[in-house]
Amino acid sequence: GAWSPAADIVETDSAYVIEVELPGVRREDVDVKLNGNELVVTGEVKERKREGLFRRRTRRVGEFELRVMLPGYLREGDIEASLAYGVLTVYVPKAESTKSSKITVSESGDGSP
């Protein structure tokens, strides 16, 4: 089955920043989607051809999947993703939700609303 890569998720005032460790993965082997509030990162770490016998093997290969639920309203059209030095960075900006405002309660002299 698919394995889940290591990731950091940071929330700022204006966005969520997700950093996913994907050493050796090419840009065309990664897919990033937003389904509602769920960010889904899938792809494959392809095995390189090697000569000789493995003496030790701890690096993962094959298909991976990372699913992250992000709270609140998101600006889907402004999501950015970049892959550099083995780290996929996904920037998901927050949308301005309905702003709360203080409502002043006035005093009515006759008790009616």
Side-chain angles (χ1 to χ4, degrees):
W3 52 275
S4 185
D8 290 335
I9 303 164
V10 176
E11 180 179 1
T12 67
D13 289 340
S14 61
Y16 296 97
V17 180
I18 299 91
E19 295 177 331
V20 186
E21 289 185 9
L22 298 174
V25 175
R26 297 180 320 191
R27 185 175 43 120
E28 55 269 14
D29 294 332
V30 178
D31 190 29
V32 180
K33 293 182 181 177
L34 187 66
N35 297 327
N37 278 42
E38 183 179 41
L39 181 73
V40 181
V41 178
T42 58
E44 183 178 3
V45 176
K46 295 185 177 175
E47 178 134 23
R48 295 184 356 226
K49 274 195 159 189
R50 299 188 176 142
E51 292 186 24
L53 290 172
F54 271 109
R55 292 292 182 180
R56 183 174 182 173
R57 181 178 186 155
T58 59
R59 294 172 56 187
R60 291 185 177 213
V61 294
E63 294 182 0
F64 61 85
E65 177 180 74
L66 175 70
R67 293 180 173 270
V68 177
M69 288 299 293
L70 301 172
Y73 299 99
L74 309 173
R75 292 197 334 240
E76 295 180 28
D78 295 328
I79 297 173
E80 298 175 6
S82 62
L83 180 63
Y85 303 106
V87 177
L88 172 71
T89 303
V90 183
Y91 177 82
V92 183
K94 296 177 182 177
E96 290 207 22
S97 61
T98 307
K99 292 184 179 180
S100 62
S101 58
K102 182 169 175 52
I103 298 171
T104 304
V105 178
S106 62
E107 187 174 324
S108 175
D110 62 2
S112 61

